[in-house]
Amino acid sequence: EVQLVESGGGLVQAGESLRLSCAASGFSLDDYLIGWFRQPPGKKREAVSCISSKDGVYYSDSVKGRFTISRDNSKNMAYLQMNSLTPEDTAAYYCTATFSLLRVSNDCAFQFDYWGQGTRVTVSS
């Protein structure tokens, strides 16, 4: 069964950090482009960051300089390190993947194949 499972969410105070993990099973992430999206309460889902299978990353302006996306193909994992969190980062965070060798550059506008169930991040002020 193909699955993406996120973990690492929780309740933190403003200024603190969290590291989200995304574990893939049922397929290899090697040739997959990975994305992290989030959906704040009452708002639409938005792209946070994407990373190509080989190189190339994208960050939304709202997280650039604070968040870092990474992947470990040997472990079939992806990560989102989130630093200097603010209440505006409060959202459900989703990991997603698509089979693609395209290089990420300016956005995360891809047709994603698989989505995780999400992990909730709450940042208090």
Side-chain angles (χ1 to χ4, degrees), residues 3-50:
Q3 270 193 320
L4 291 173
V5 179
E6 304 93 336
S7 61
L11 172 63
V12 296
Q13 293 189 333
E16 294 185 338
S17 299
L18 278 175
R19 187 196 195 203
L20 304 184
S21 298
C22 174
S25 59
F27 70 107
S28 171
L29 280 176
D30 285 12
D31 294 328
Y32 277 73
L33 187 153
I34 298 166
W36 284 96
F37 284 69
R38 68 184 181 187
Q39 186 165 17
K43 296 185 180 181
K44 292 182 179 180
R45 187 173 63 193
E46 61 185 17
V48 175
S49 180
C50 286

Side-chain angles (χ1 to χ4, degrees), residues 35-70:
W36 284 96
F37 284 69
R38 68 184 181 187
Q39 186 165 17
K43 296 185 180 181
K44 292 182 179 180
R45 187 173 63 193
E46 61 185 17
V48 175
S49 180
C50 286
I51 184 168
S52 306
S53 60
K54 300 301 181 186
D55 61 6
V57 294
Y58 162 84
Y59 296 100
S60 67
D61 288 342
S62 61
V63 307
K64 198 174 297 182
R66 300 186 298 122
F67 290 13
T68 303
I69 191 171
S70 62

Side-chain angles (χ1 to χ4, degrees), residues 33 37 47 50 58 98 100 102 104-112:
L33 187 153
F37 284 69
C50 286
Y58 162 84
T98 184
S100 174
L102 293 175
V104 171
S105 56
N106 297 321
D107 56 40
C108 288
F110 300 95
Q111 195 72 23
F112 287 96

